[in-house]
Amino acid sequence: MPRGKTTSKVTGKPAHQLLFSEALRQQKHPSVEDSPPLPRANMADDTQGATMDRILQEISAVSRKLEGMDNAMVALAAETRSMRLNIAGFQSQMSGLDQRVTTVETQEASWTDRDLELSHLCSKLTDLEDRSRKNNVRLLGFPEGVEGTDIFSYLRDILPKLTDITFDPPLEFQRAHRFGPKRQDGNGRPAQL
């Protein structure tokens, strides 16, 4: 054996290693409660586990959001169906109203013609009523053609002379006309004014 090295006969280890092992054994061993946590064998497994937990939580949150969106889509589909039914009802009402408007327009066109006819008949009636209510004067016995071309002037001149009355203001005539056509033969028959 070389000098300076001692070995144990039992273990075959150098002496300085045996002394160190003995010193460790003789030290007071701390209790399990006081000891620091033992390092884990694989830190990568713990990180992957935490990452997986986070991913699962996020997937769960996304799933809840998707369920909410699915419920909203069902409600939206029901509302859309209801709106379609309302629009179909409005379209049928509009169709009915369109037919009614067409009927009224047709009637209105016939009413316009009736209004014109009614207006013409009203003016005729007014004319007939005016003639029957007015103080009409019929003058007979004037020779044919004595009035000349202006009946109004002739009547304004002749009536004060025939009645011996002075009219102040002068007489006003609404209408003056002959009865019957003017005779061309000039045989002296009397005219009616």
Side-chain angles (χ1 to χ4, degrees), residues 32-97:
V32 175
E33 294 171 2
D34 295 337
S35 67
L38 296 173
R40 298 217 176 203
N42 193 349
M43 290 289 271
D45 288 343
D46 287 345
T47 306
Q48 284 179 349
T51 304
M52 290 300 285
D53 286 343
R54 263 187 276 131
I55 289 172
L56 287 174
Q57 287 174 352
E58 288 177 12
I59 288 173
S60 176
V62 168
S63 175
R64 283 191 300 272
K65 286 181 182 178
L66 286 175
E67 286 176 13
M69 290 174 70
D70 188 38
N71 293 338
M73 289 298 289
V74 168
L76 184 62
E79 188 174 339
T80 303
R81 212 173 306 115
S82 171
M83 291 174 82
R84 273 193 216 135
L85 291 174
N86 287 342
I87 289 171
F90 290 144
Q91 285 175 337
S92 68
Q93 286 179 355
M94 289 297 290
S95 175
L97 288 174

Side-chain angles (χ1 to χ4, degrees), residues 27-158:
Q27 280 184 351
K28 182 180 174 185
H29 294 294
S31 68
V32 175
E33 294 171 2
D34 295 337
S35 67
L38 296 173
R40 298 217 176 203
N42 193 349
M43 290 289 271
D45 288 343
D46 287 345
T47 306
Q48 284 179 349
T51 304
M52 290 300 285
D53 286 343
R54 263 187 276 131
I55 289 172
L56 287 174
Q57 287 174 352
E58 288 177 12
I59 288 173
S60 176
V62 168
S63 175
R64 283 191 300 272
K65 286 181 182 178
L66 286 175
E67 286 176 13
M69 290 174 70
D70 188 38
N71 293 338
M73 289 298 289
V74 168
L76 184 62
E79 188 174 339
T80 303
R81 212 173 306 115
S82 171
M83 291 174 82
R84 273 193 216 135
L85 291 174
N86 287 342
I87 289 171
F90 290 144
Q91 285 175 337
S92 68
Q93 286 179 355
M94 289 297 290
S95 175
L97 288 174
D98 187 40
Q99 290 173 353
R100 290 174 65 187
V101 166
T102 302
T103 303
V104 168
E105 286 174 346
T106 304
Q107 289 177 351
E108 191 267 336
S110 68
W111 292 342
T112 303
D113 295 339
R114 289 180 188 165
D115 284 347
L116 290 172
E117 185 180 355
L118 183 63
S119 174
H120 179 68
L121 290 174
C122 283
S123 70
K124 276 185 158 183
L125 179 65
T126 302
D127 186 49
L128 289 172
E129 285 176 346
D130 285 349
R131 286 186 185 186
S132 67
R133 289 183 189 159
K134 292 179 181 170
N135 295 325
N136 292 331
V137 177
R138 183 177 280 193
L139 303 173
L140 303 172
F142 288 96
E144 187 70 35
V146 72
E147 74 278 0
T149 57
D150 188 8
I151 294 177
F152 290 120
S153 298
Y154 177 72
L155 290 175
R156 277 192 205 100
D157 290 341
I158 198 71

